[in-house]
Each structure stands twice: as structure tokens, then as C-alpha cells.
Amino acid sequence: MKATVKEKLSYLKQSVFHPFDAFYEIRFRGKGSVPLAVLILAIFGILQCVSYQYTGFVININDLAAMNSISIFMTWVLGFVLFIVSNWSVTTLLNGKGNLGDILKVTSYSLVPFMCTLIFQVFASNFIIEEEAMIVYVITGIGIVWSLFMLLAGLCVIHEYGFGKNLIAILLTFVAAAIILFLGILFFTLIEQMVLFVISVGQEFIRRL
């Protein structure tokens, strides 16, 4: 078991520094780990909560009095789940070769550079002065760009797309995500209206007894 865990972590490191090779292994040799990808996504959600509250006051513009950890966690995690499902839906129509597990692994592994710089931001922001804030912003920006590069590279490899088609697929992914979100909100609104109707009918029935 220890060897297996070590191998998975070693492969995660490889995906950060050699994304094309690592994601090729995911696509054609079944490498990577879905449970580890899910764990990374969960840790990312937790880090967003930590960042919201514990980033130093020099760069923290959040309203801590209005903080809702569950809302922050669910917003980030479900946002990426929506992206993963939407990308799978779109690429299925566009003859993408990657399956849902591949997209999950690529997306989660791509978050690692951003997560590392986010940890640095939380730590460093509590020891800097205002004039040094730009350094933290630059390092965090590098992490975001690195993560975006990994995501683009990974989706290109697992779906066997060229760069142009990959960009089109990502744009359509956001369109699909918006449609899914709209339909989801509409569905739950209808359910809420039905529940309220049943409750009101029940209350009226009880009053007439």
C-alpha cells in the first residue's frame, strides 16, 4: 500500500513538471488516481475557505463577518464538478477521446500549482507590508497561469485535440455549464413551488376539518 501511495504522489509531481508526458500516461496507460483527484478537489475547496479567512489584512478584502465556509467550499468544488461534467458532455459530441475519469484527473491535478501558491499567499500575506504585496500577487499569478497551462495541455492530450479545437471545446464547455446551471435552478425552483403548493393545500385542508 505504501508503495502504491508513493507511486501516485510521484506521478502527481510528474504531472506538475511534465504535464504532456503525464497526461499522455493518463490517456493511454490508465495512470493517475480518481480517489486522489477527488481528494485534491476537496482540499482545494478547504484551501479557499482558509484563504478567505486567514489571508493577511494587507491584501484581504473579504468581509469576514459574512463568511460562510460551507457556501465557499461548495461554490468552488461544485463549480469544478460542473466544468468537468460540461466538458465531458461537449467533448462527447465533438469526438473527444477522454472519459469522465480522465477529465477529473486532469482538472484536479492541474489545480496543484495554484494550490501551492495559494498556501504561500496565505502564509506570506501575514508577514508583509503593503509595498511587498505585489510580490505575493505575482507569485499567485504564476500559480494560476501554470494551472491553466496544465489544464489546456491535459485536455489537448486526453481528447486528442489540436490547440484551436481545444479552445473551442472549452468555450462550449462554459456555454454548456451555463445551460446546465440554468436548468438546475429552474428544476429546483419548480420543485420548491410544488412543495409550497402541497403545503398550502395541506394547511387549507386542515383548516377546513
Side-chain angles (χ1 to χ4, degrees):
M1 178 63 70
K2 289 183 179 180
T4 303
V5 172
K6 183 178 179 181
E7 181 182 346
K8 290 177 180 178
L9 293 176
S10 176
Y11 184 75
L12 176 60
K13 179 181 176 182
Q14 180 186 357
S15 70
V16 173
F17 294 103
H18 305 283
F20 285 101
D21 293 338
F23 294 141
Y24 179 90
E25 295 286 327
I26 283 180
R27 170 67 184 91
F28 295 101
R29 298 182 181 176
K31 297 290 185 178
S33 168
V34 169
L36 179 58
V38 172
L39 178 61
I40 291 171
L41 198 56
I43 293 174
F44 178 77
I46 294 171
L47 279 177
Q48 290 298 330
C49 297
V50 172
S51 174
Y52 190 101
Q53 181 172 1
Y54 293 108
T55 296
F57 70 92
V58 174
I59 61 175
N60 194 344
I61 59 174
N62 300 316
D63 182 6
L64 299 183
M67 178 181 177
N68 185 327
S69 297
I70 296 177
S71 176
I72 295 170
F73 179 87
M74 296 302 292
T75 297
W76 282 97
V77 172
L78 292 181
F80 277 100
V81 170
L82 180 60
F83 173 84
I84 291 166
V85 172
S86 300
N87 187 259
W88 173 74
S89 303
V90 168
T91 54
T92 298
L93 298 175
L94 297 179
N95 297 318
K97 306 302 181 182
N99 57 39
L100 197 60
D102 293 338
I103 300 170
L104 170 61
K105 286 182 278 190
V106 165
T107 303
S108 295
Y109 286 13
S110 297
L111 291 173
V112 172
F114 181 32
M115 291 168 62
C116 292
T117 53
L118 193 61
I119 293 171
F120 170 81
Q121 174 185 292
V122 173
F123 178 78
S125 63
N126 287 279
F127 299 96
I128 62 172
I129 58 177
E130 188 172 354
E131 289 75 13
E132 298 169 334
M134 184 56 66
I135 300 174
V136 176
Y137 288 137
V138 169
I139 293 175
T140 304
I142 291 172
I144 293 173
V145 171
W146 194 350
S147 287
L148 287 174
F149 170 74
M150 286 181 61
L151 180 62
L152 289 172
L155 293 177
C156 278
V157 171
I158 65 170
H159 292 309
E160 299 182 39
Y161 285 165
F163 182 74
K165 188 174 182 179
N166 190 44
L167 286 181
I168 293 173
I170 291 175
L171 290 175
L172 292 176
T173 294
F174 286 109
V175 173
I179 294 173
I180 292 172
L181 189 60
F182 171 76
L183 293 177
I185 293 173
L186 181 63
F187 173 77
F188 285 109
T189 300
L190 290 175
I191 293 296
E192 181 183 16
Q193 293 299 319
M194 290 177 59
V195 171
L196 291 175
F197 174 75
V198 171
I199 291 175
S200 64
V201 170
Q203 290 174 340
E204 184 65 25
F205 178 77
I206 292 173
R207 278 198 294 266
R208 291 179 179 273
L209 289 179

